[in-house]
Amino acid sequence: MADAFADLAARPLEDVLGAALGRAFESAGLDAALGAVKPAARPDLAPFQCNGALAGAKAAGKTPRDIAEAVVASLEGDPLFAGLEIAGPGFINITPSQGALDARAAALAADDRAGALKVETPRRVMLDFGGPNVAKAMHVGHLRSSIIGDALQRLFRFRGDEVISDVHLGDWGLQMGQIITGLQREQPDLPYFDAGFEGPYPEASPVTMEDLQAIYPRASAACKEDPARLAEAQQATRELQQGRAGYVALWRHFLNVSIEALKADFARLGVSFDLWKGESDADPLIEDMAEQLTRRGVAVEDQGALVIPVAEEDDKKELPPLILLKSDGAALYATTDLATILERVRGWAPALILYVVDKRQGLHFEQVFRAAKKAGMADRTGLEHIAYGTMNGPDGKPFKTRAGGVLKLSDLIETAEARARERMKEANLAGELSEAEQSAVALQVALAAIKFADLSHDRATDYIFDLDRFMTFEGKTGPYLLYAAVRVKSLMRKAADAGAAPGPIRAEAKEEQALVLALDAFERALRGAYDKRAPNFLTDHAYSLATAFSAFYAACPVLGADDPAVRASRLGLAALTLKQLELALGLLGLEAPERM
């Protein structure tokens, strides 16, 4: 009997059940792939279903029901199944046996990864996300790329890939010239503006992040109003990119000051990067890249500009060429993005590069990816735009402050923390904790509300940001999931204090069996999230798991169970739930407190 359940030590129920049905289809002279099992459309009838009889009927020359009857008959007495019922024209509804459920639960409990598998062939994957600009405070517009990108880097690492994440700063271009000339007007005596100064330049920055945040908008507005100011900023940008020593030294101050502030913002959000590179890192490659592409005929001249035609014959919409260099020789974002691909392929040879960027940049990335393929830069590297929708306010437009400005990320987090404290007080939570502990928990709850709300949506869709709704401890929210984890932690502490310990799991009650099925679905959720680059598969799983545990806890006394074996079994289910729930939350960038 034990051998019948051996495969459940390494594979989810639906895979093992599907393999058994596949053998039954083969015995009927059909393709084993027809035995594929999936979650049932009617879970009230059975947990799983197989539709292979309908798909194989034409090839077999039989009715689907005849095929289904033959398959079910060949599986009679198989200990994996408690029920195999034929419904409608030939659907097979599948209920696994308690023995199968218990064997799977034992395997999950013994596995540090709680049933999560790794990819068979790990890859080196580069993730490009974040994308803040130097000299600007992070704002809510950076939120989705940061949250989605971080969840994906966690997920890909968990699946076994080698991940290299890059913040890819906006640190090159006209804004740098605008800040340089803006600062020169305010502090003209700084040595950086003296073309004859031979150095060394000061090690301390002449500006703080607050200074930069004030200088840039003033300089930018002046350039829009005054063509002479714009020309001045453009000239400073050219001189910076040509290596003027004072400007380069000043730019490095801007960069260092900005990175220090950005790291603090990202750390508060719980996001980190392996690389802190920017557009400037690709700049040295541009001249040679343009010459090479021109010589090979990949880039051609068009009205004085250098372009790469990327349109294809079967295109259903017009796709303009990528402009590599403008007629005045200036590079554009597409130029630096193309050079960045070249830099990454040469330096890291990734199998895949993912760009977590607003879906409104779809045309840009289609041009860049096609140009890279045409240039032979990415013959062995997959390029994917992980597009996401916008986070909108109640008016359905991109989120703004009440005054109409862009909300700083730090201000959003502070607002969420304050709201978290209010909700915790209303729910009589964390009142026994110290002030410092309450502050730490409030931040965890605030980030859970913000991140879970973002990740629970299909990333390609827009959504309305409603902090009051996201901050509740009921329903499908981040705070609810943290509270669910805290409840299990509390249960396990009480059990330890009473001398009770988890033991072998035996899922007899329907709520126990439903919880085992919810736990078994972890690998399915991971596959969906990984294959589709969609963290909402994981948010759905975490919520389903928490609700299944809640139903189990309400119906099945744990510490109050009279039978010690039943108590140990239920504690085993609780411990397994906590382990898997914390793994899922961690992949979403969330952390549950010990107490609340």
Side-chain angles (χ1 to χ4, degrees):
M1 182 70 73
D3 289 341
F5 303 134
D7 288 346
L8 289 168
R11 292 192 291 165
L13 275 163
E14 63 191 79
D15 290 0
V16 175
L17 299 177
L21 269 97
R23 291 189 292 272
F25 272 96
E26 275 190 320
S27 69
L30 294 168
D31 187 351
L34 294 172
V37 166
K38 64 180 183 179
R42 289 281 307 277
D44 56 317
L45 300 178
F48 301 105
Q49 69 183 58
C50 173
N51 303 337
L54 283 77
K58 185 175 181 180
K62 298 179 181 180
T63 68
R65 196 167 186 90
D66 286 341
I67 295 172
E69 288 174 350
V71 167
V72 169
S74 71
L75 291 170
E76 185 176 352
D78 191 315
L80 284 170
F81 302 95
L84 288 165
E85 303 291 335
I86 301 171
F91 300 107
I92 302 175
N93 290 330
I94 305 159
T95 301
S97 67
Q98 184 183 329
L101 290 170
D102 291 348
R104 184 57 181 158
L108 295 173
D111 182 9
D112 289 341
R113 293 169 59 84
L117 302 179
K118 290 190 175 185
V119 292
E120 292 183 3
T121 307
R123 301 169 293 179
R124 176 176 291 168
V125 179
M126 294 198 77
L127 259 165
D128 180 320
F129 70 99
N133 290 317
V134 165
K136 294 183 183 179
M138 283 186 67
H139 55 76
V140 293
H142 299 115
L143 194 62
R144 296 213 73 186
S145 62
S146 302
I147 292 174
I148 295 170
D150 183 53
L152 290 178
Q153 74 170 332
R154 291 169 184 264
L155 171 64
F156 274 66
R157 286 195 179 106
F158 190 63
R159 296 296 274 174
D161 288 325
E162 177 191 355
V163 177
I164 304 169
S165 57
D166 183 5
V167 69
H168 198 63
L169 298 169
D171 65 348
W172 210 235
L174 180 60
Q175 74 269 26
M176 295 295 100
Q178 290 174 328
I179 298 169
I180 289 171
T181 54
L183 179 60
Q184 184 173 16
R185 287 176 176 270
E186 296 183 11
Q187 299 187 53
D189 295 331
L190 290 175
Y192 309 95
F193 307 119
D194 182 356
F197 186 77
E198 296 182 357
Y201 293 97
E203 292 185 7
S205 173
V207 290
T208 64
M209 190 62 188
E210 290 72 21
D211 294 331
L212 291 175
Q213 291 173 15
I215 293 170
Y216 174 69
R218 288 199 296 265
S220 177
C223 288
K224 290 177 182 178
E225 296 173 359
D226 185 352
R229 285 290 300 273
L230 176 60
E232 183 181 313
Q234 290 171 332
Q235 178 60 30
T237 303
R238 280 192 291 272
E239 291 184 28
L240 168 65
Q241 295 177 353
Q242 290 167 1
R244 177 169 166 172
Y247 288 1
V248 170
L250 198 54
W251 168 78
R252 291 195 186 281
H253 286 311
F254 299 163
L255 186 61
N256 292 335
V257 166
S258 297
I259 287 177
E260 183 179 356
L262 290 170
K263 284 185 174 180
D265 280 340
F266 278 120
R268 193 153 178 77
L269 193 59
V271 175
S272 63
F273 298 88
D274 299 302
L275 302 176
W276 283 79
K277 286 182 167 287
E279 297 166 355
S280 61
D281 289 284
D283 186 69
L285 301 175
I286 290 176
E287 183 177 354
D288 182 63
M289 178 184 73
E291 291 178 0
Q292 294 273 358
L293 295 180
T294 302
R295 185 166 60 252
R296 290 166 48 202
V298 175
V300 297
E301 187 176 332
D302 183 0
Q303 299 181 31
L306 193 61
V307 305
I308 300 178
V310 294
E312 298 175 358
E313 289 185 4
D314 58 351
D315 285 341
K316 295 181 180 179
K317 61 181 180 181
E318 184 177 352
L319 197 67
L322 178 144
I323 301 176
L324 192 64
L325 296 175
K326 293 169 62 178
S327 57
D328 62 359
L332 302 173
Y333 286 123
T335 319
T336 55
D337 277 348
L338 200 59
T340 299
I341 291 174
L342 184 60
E343 179 200 21
R344 289 169 174 166
V345 169
R346 286 178 178 176
W348 290 274
L352 180 65
I353 306 177
L354 304 179
Y355 293 79
V356 185
V357 183
D358 189 331
K359 67 181 179 182
R360 291 173 292 187
Q361 297 297 314
L363 174 61
H364 167 81
F365 281 106
E366 189 170 6
Q367 290 175 304
V368 171
F369 294 168
R370 285 196 184 187
K373 293 293 184 183
K374 188 173 182 179
M377 293 179 183
D379 292 339
R380 299 181 181 180
T381 301
L383 302 170
E384 294 183 25
H385 176 202
I386 310 302
Y388 60 81
T390 56
M391 185 182 87
N392 297 330
D395 59 357
K397 298 179 181 179
F399 195 88
K400 301 282 187 179
T401 64
R402 290 183 178 179
V406 178
L407 183 65
K408 289 183 180 180
L409 184 59
S410 58
D411 291 340
L412 174 65
I413 293 176
E414 286 181 10
T415 300
E417 279 187 273
R419 197 69 52 85
R421 278 180 172 273
E422 293 173 6
R423 286 300 169 90
M424 287 159 56
K425 186 175 181 180
E426 292 169 1
N428 294 316
L429 297 173
E432 297 179 355
L433 301 182
S434 69
E435 180 63 27
E437 289 173 323
Q438 286 186 28
S439 295
V441 172
L443 178 59
Q444 288 173 311
V445 171
L447 293 179
I450 293 169
K451 290 185 178 184
F452 189 86
D454 192 297
L455 296 172
S456 63
H457 290 84
D458 181 324
R459 62 170 166 78
T461 62
D462 302 340
Y463 77 96
I464 303 297
F465 186 83
D466 184 344
L467 190 56
D468 287 333
R469 181 164 60 87
F470 300 159
M471 194 63 73
T472 63
F473 285 92
E474 298 175 352
K476 192 176 180 181
T477 70
Y480 167 74
L481 290 179
L482 295 197
Y483 182 60
V486 169
R487 286 180 64 194
V488 187
K489 291 183 180 186
S490 176
L491 170 65
M492 301 311 294
R493 282 195 300 273
K494 290 177 181 177
D497 291 343
I505 296 171
R506 183 168 175 79
E508 295 180 338
K510 65 178 182 178
E511 291 85 3
E512 293 171 316
Q513 294 179 353
L515 180 53
V516 172
L517 288 169
L519 288 157
D520 181 61
F522 188 31
E523 170 60 21
R524 184 193 315 139
L526 286 166
R527 289 178 190 173
Y530 181 82
D531 293 341
K532 298 182 182 297
R533 289 60 160 133
N536 60 291
F537 280 83
L538 276 174
T539 60
D540 290 348
H541 173 73
Y543 179 65
S544 295
L545 180 58
T547 54
F549 181 82
S550 181
F552 152 77
Y553 190 68
C556 303
V558 180
L559 295 180
D562 295 329
D563 187 334
V566 171
R567 181 167 59 246
S569 169
R570 291 175 178 173
L571 280 172
L573 268 175
L576 173 55
T577 299
L578 178 61
K579 176 169 64 177
Q580 192 180 99
L581 183 56
E582 289 198 299
L583 283 173
L585 291 175
L587 291 172
L588 298 171
L590 309 183
E591 181 181 4
E594 290 301 312
R595 291 176 171 81
M596 184 184 289

